Amino acid sequence: MSEIQVWTWGFVILTFCAYIGIAIWARAATTGEFYVAGQHVPPVLNGMATAADWMSAASFISMAGIIAFIGYDGSVYLMGWTGGYVLLALLLAPYLRKFGKFTVPDFIGDRYYSDLARVVAVICAIFVSFTYIAGQMRGVGIVFSRFLEIDVELGVILGMAIVFFYAVLGGMKGITYTQIAQFCVLIFAYLVPAIFISILITDTPIPQLGLLGNTGGEPLLTKLDNLTRELGFTPYLSGSKSMIDMTAITLALMVGTAGLPHVIIRFFTVPKVSDARISAGWALIFIALLYSTAPAVAAFARLNFIETVNGSVYEPAQAKAEEKATPDWFHNWQKTGLLHWNDKNQDGRLDYNGGEHNEVEVNRDIMVLANPEIANLPPWVIALVAAGGLAAALSTAAGLLLVISSSVSHDLAKRVLFKNLSDKKELLIARIAAIAAIMAAGYLGINPPGFVAQVVAFAFGLAAASFFPVIVLGIFTKTANSWGAICGMLGGIGFTMAYIIWFKFIEPDANTPENWLWGISPEGIGVVGMVINFALVIIVSRLTAPPPENVRDMVQMIRHPE
């Protein structure tokens, strides 16, 4: 067993034991504790848990990876996800906490006074959550496959097992305190290697400043941009996406953030409405620690990757004294199947370029995890990053599983099918639903529909097209009615799902800008679905009976939080 494996096993066992211990200590005994942690979580701790819930495998593993490879175009993820959280914190969180229910479908069912609207919301929540969770479980599998040298599929199964334990046993109470620990692990694991590499490349201990600093006598970003141009890749500082697609993806990620049920539910766990605002502010600070560091991590990783791989001799024994050999980390990651070399010209050298003769194919999701190895950092730092990636993926997966189980047990079983259901039976149904959701999530992790950040982008598009319009109109208008909400949710998510399925699964060869509607990619089409949703709610509400007086009074109450 290598030194990296020893350190990784040590960190994984230590952190997993901590998560399980917290889950046992904070196990849920009532439905209130299972769904919203009894609404007793202090704002600062809730901010940490929200940050962990929010910073998924897409944030930790995939975001910097995608920025590393597409440069400027990858800024849509930074702008969309951070901007969306501000939108959620200011526009929706305090009003939903004022409402005081357990779930997003709970709000929609009561605000739109319809069991059918509630069921449609449950279906939307399940679709969004399963799409999102596929990326998380895939991230778990990638971490395990490299650092513990096991198959991706087995890694996903191990992730399923640990999430099963603390999500099913502890519910929201166990998940909340586990996520606090996971935030500490993931943020430490992200910042430590970033600081190390920033010092090595730019002599600056602050990665954000290192990104703007010099390396080898010239600005880091200028050097990276010149390298990518010379090798035939898309220029790092200008990108290739059209303005309309950049705008659509950014907006879809923003409004999708504000419609994500597993993030919204975090604001139901604090004691008061004012605490929802305070915890949102703390969460934004905690999130900014990672998101402001990601561009630097991306630039460092891409620069190191190019300089250590391109032109290297694959067999170290065949490299002459003045030649560089392909580093050990490259051979290690080849074993995972996520990094490939095809010697097209049979010269024994790795030719990495942006043309048709490129010999190196790399999965974007490995860049953050491989970054410490590429920079030749100590084994304990490499293992720490692995533990951080697991913490990020598992924390979000747990939150998503709770959304699925609570949607089935509370919104479907308790509020629609069996209205006299006891708390004990409701809790049992919630745990059974969580088990079924974990099994389905594992399958999606083993057979994902794309790389991690891309899969998550689809989930945000679905959330933007389904939940955001009906939540906003439900809070800020008194005229939106049940039929409007039902038609809006079905129309928005139906269009968005059809568009994504068509271009990603049915006709993937046609997934090009000239075939997209108005030049908008599947990652950004949620914006169009959102507009359809808004339009249907408004039009159908005008053509059908207005909401009853008690519902209009409810809206008035929600809009004036204490």
Side-chain angles (χ1 to χ4, degrees):
M1 184 179 291
S2 67
E3 188 176 358
I4 292 176
Q5 278 186 291
V6 172
W7 276 104
T8 303
W9 274 113
F11 278 132
V12 168
I13 292 172
L14 181 64
T15 54
F16 277 18
C17 287
Y19 303 155
I20 292 172
I22 292 170
I24 294 172
W25 167 75
R27 61 188 180 276
T30 67
T31 52
E33 290 181 342
F34 191 90
Y35 294 138
V36 290
Q39 296 185 329
H40 297 311
V41 183
V44 176
L45 296 183
N46 193 59
M48 296 176 71
T50 304
D53 207 354
W54 170 236
M55 292 189 293
S56 63
S59 295
F60 189 99
I61 296 174
S62 196
M63 182 175 63
I66 195 171
I67 295 172
F69 282 92
I70 66 177
Y72 174 81
D73 289 342
S75 63
V76 296
Y77 293 94
L78 285 171
M79 294 185 294
W81 284 337
T82 51
Y85 188 79
V86 175
L87 187 67
L88 170 63
L90 297 179
L91 189 64
L92 303 182
Y95 301 104
L96 291 172
R97 176 61 187 86
K98 172 71 173 180
F99 185 70
K101 296 293 183 178
F102 287 161
T103 66
V104 173
D106 217 6
F107 167 78
I108 291 173
D110 284 3
R111 164 58 184 86
Y112 292 103
Y113 53 96
S114 168
D115 282 345
L116 180 57
R118 189 189 305 274
V119 171
V120 172
V122 168
I123 294 170
C124 291
I126 290 173
F127 270 119
V128 170
S129 299
F130 270 129
T131 305
Y132 202 156
I133 207 171
Q136 311 315 307
M137 300 312 296
R138 185 65 176 179
V140 171
I142 290 172
V143 174
F144 275 126
S145 69
R146 162 62 190 96
F147 295 104
L148 301 182
E149 296 187 5
I150 59 178
D151 292 338
V152 172
E153 292 78 8
L154 180 56
V156 171
I157 293 171
L158 289 176
M160 289 166 56
I162 189 69
V163 173
F164 164 82
F165 192 90
Y166 66 79
V168 173
L169 178 66
M172 178 58 84
K173 186 178 178 183
I175 287 171
T176 295
Y177 290 100
T178 303
Q179 285 174 336
I180 293 167
Q182 287 167 332
F183 169 77
C184 296
V185 172
L186 75 88
I187 201 66
F188 187 70
Y190 203 84
L191 293 179
V192 167
I195 293 169
F196 265 104
I197 298 171
S198 182
I199 294 172
L200 290 173
I201 294 179
T202 68
D203 294 324
T204 304
I206 302 174
Q208 293 86 342
L209 297 179
L211 179 66
L212 304 176
N214 293 335
T215 179
E218 64 178 319
L220 171 68
L221 289 176
T222 301
K223 180 176 182 179
L224 183 55
D225 191 56
N226 290 337
L227 270 176
T228 53
R229 290 175 186 271
E230 290 170 9
L231 294 174
F233 293 104
T234 301
Y236 196 80
L237 297 181
S238 56
S240 61
K241 288 184 179 293
S242 66
M243 182 61 70
I244 188 172
D245 196 31
M246 287 280 288
T247 303
I249 296 174
T250 302
L251 188 55
L253 294 174
M254 285 183 65
V255 296
T257 296
L260 284 176
H262 78 288
V263 177
I264 291 173
I265 199 173
R266 287 244 51 96
F267 297 105
F268 296 167
T269 64
V270 292
K272 299 179 296 184
V273 173
S274 59
D275 291 337
R277 293 183 184 274
I278 295 170
S279 67
W282 279 109
L284 193 56
I285 293 171
F286 297 139
I287 290 169
L289 290 174
L290 187 146
Y291 271 66
S292 62
T293 308
V297 171
F300 299 156
R302 185 68 183 280
L303 182 63
N304 279 336
F305 185 87
I306 292 173
E307 291 185 336
T308 58
V309 168
N310 188 46
S312 64
V313 179
Y314 187 73
E315 295 292 343
Q318 298 176 9
K320 299 177 182 178
E322 67 277 10
E323 294 177 323
K324 63 180 178 183
T326 302
D328 289 340
W329 69 261
F330 189 95
H331 298 287
N332 292 335
W333 277 98
Q334 269 191 299
K335 297 174 185 176
T336 68
L338 301 172
L339 185 62
H340 302 277
W341 173 58
N342 179 16
D343 192 8
K344 295 180 180 179
N345 57 13
Q346 301 298 310
D347 67 348
R349 298 174 183 271
L350 279 68
D351 188 7
Y352 178 57
N353 60 68
E356 61 181 18
H357 299 297
N358 176 47
E359 296 179 348
V360 180
E361 297 293 336
V362 54
N363 186 301
R364 296 168 178 175
D365 290 335
I366 75 169
M367 290 308 294
V368 170
L369 299 173
N371 202 20
E373 290 181 272
I374 299 173
N376 200 28
L377 296 185
W380 70 267
V381 179
I382 298 169
L384 180 64
V385 172
L390 289 172
L394 294 175
S395 62
T396 302
L400 292 165
L401 288 169
L402 187 69
V403 167
I404 295 169
S405 65
S406 60
S407 294
V408 172
S409 61
H410 181 72
D411 297 303
L412 194 59
K414 174 75 171 180
R415 300 300 301 274
V416 178
L417 299 178
F418 312 106
K419 296 189 176 183
N420 295 321
L421 195 67
S422 67
D423 278 2
K424 186 176 180 180
K425 290 183 178 178
E426 183 183 349
L427 198 58
L428 176 62
I429 293 174
R431 286 178 166 141
I432 293 173
I435 294 171
I438 289 170
M439 301 299 292
Y443 174 81
L444 291 173
I446 294 171
N447 302 282
F451 58 87
V452 174
Q454 187 182 48
V455 173
V456 170
F458 295 152
F460 278 72
L462 294 173
S466 57
F467 285 128
F468 183 74
V470 293
I471 293 175
V472 169
L473 292 175
I475 292 172
F476 294 102
T477 71
K478 297 180 182 181
T479 57
N481 68 11
S482 58
W483 285 113
I486 293 166
C487 293
M489 286 188 290
L490 289 176
I493 199 170
F495 168 80
T496 305
M497 284 185 61
Y499 193 90
I500 292 172
I501 291 171
W502 176 261
F503 282 114
K504 301 306 294 186
F505 301 105
I506 298 177
E507 290 290 341
D509 293 336
N511 188 24
T512 56
E514 57 269 20
N515 294 320
W516 295 338
L517 179 65
W518 301 316
I520 300 175
S521 64
E523 289 82 2
I525 201 62
V527 168
V528 179
M530 177 193 69
V531 173
I532 291 172
N533 191 334
F534 269 119
L536 286 173
V537 175
I538 294 169
I539 292 171
V540 174
S541 294
R542 286 182 177 273
L543 297 177
T544 51
E549 185 66 29
N550 67 305
V551 171
R552 292 197 291 271
D553 291 341
M554 180 196 305
V555 174
Q556 181 69 18
M557 180 272 293
I558 293 172
R559 282 168 54 182
H560 293 83
E562 296 172 357

